[in-house]
Amino acid sequence: MNSIKYKVYWDLVKIGLIGLGTFLAIGLILSIPLCLLWNWLMPNIFGLPTISILEAFGLSALVTFLSPKQMNLQK
């Protein structure tokens, strides 16, 4: 009985890990254009330092969390 319970939990853990890995992989891939654009424009225009892909991923996550959600007010 316990082995079946742990098998169900292990299946959920595997699904969660696959989802987390997919989220991180897609997020890092989508951060590459942000990193390239930042490193091309910001140091020349504003004198800011260049950033890595991980920093670009964090920056895009921060902007996503801070941007307000658009609400559909039509009824």
Side-chain angles (χ1 to χ4, degrees), residues 32-50:
I32 292 172
L34 175 64
C35 179
L36 293 174
L37 282 170
W38 180 283
N39 291 338
W40 175 43
L41 296 171
M42 294 301 170
N44 294 331
I45 296 172
F46 300 110
L48 296 173
T50 59

Side-chain angles (χ1 to χ4, degrees), residues 1-60:
M1 179 82 178
N2 281 339
S3 64
I4 294 172
K5 185 166 106 173
Y6 290 127
K7 183 177 180 347
V8 171
Y9 289 140
W10 179 243
D11 289 341
L12 291 175
V13 168
K14 286 193 295 189
I15 290 171
L17 289 175
I18 290 170
L20 182 64
T22 303
F23 167 76
L24 290 175
I26 291 172
L28 287 173
I29 290 169
L30 293 176
S31 295
I32 292 172
L34 175 64
C35 179
L36 293 174
L37 282 170
W38 180 283
N39 291 338
W40 175 43
L41 296 171
M42 294 301 170
N44 294 331
I45 296 172
F46 300 110
L48 296 173
T50 59
I51 61 174
S52 67
I53 293 177
L54 287 176
E55 291 169 333
F57 178 69
L59 184 63
S60 65

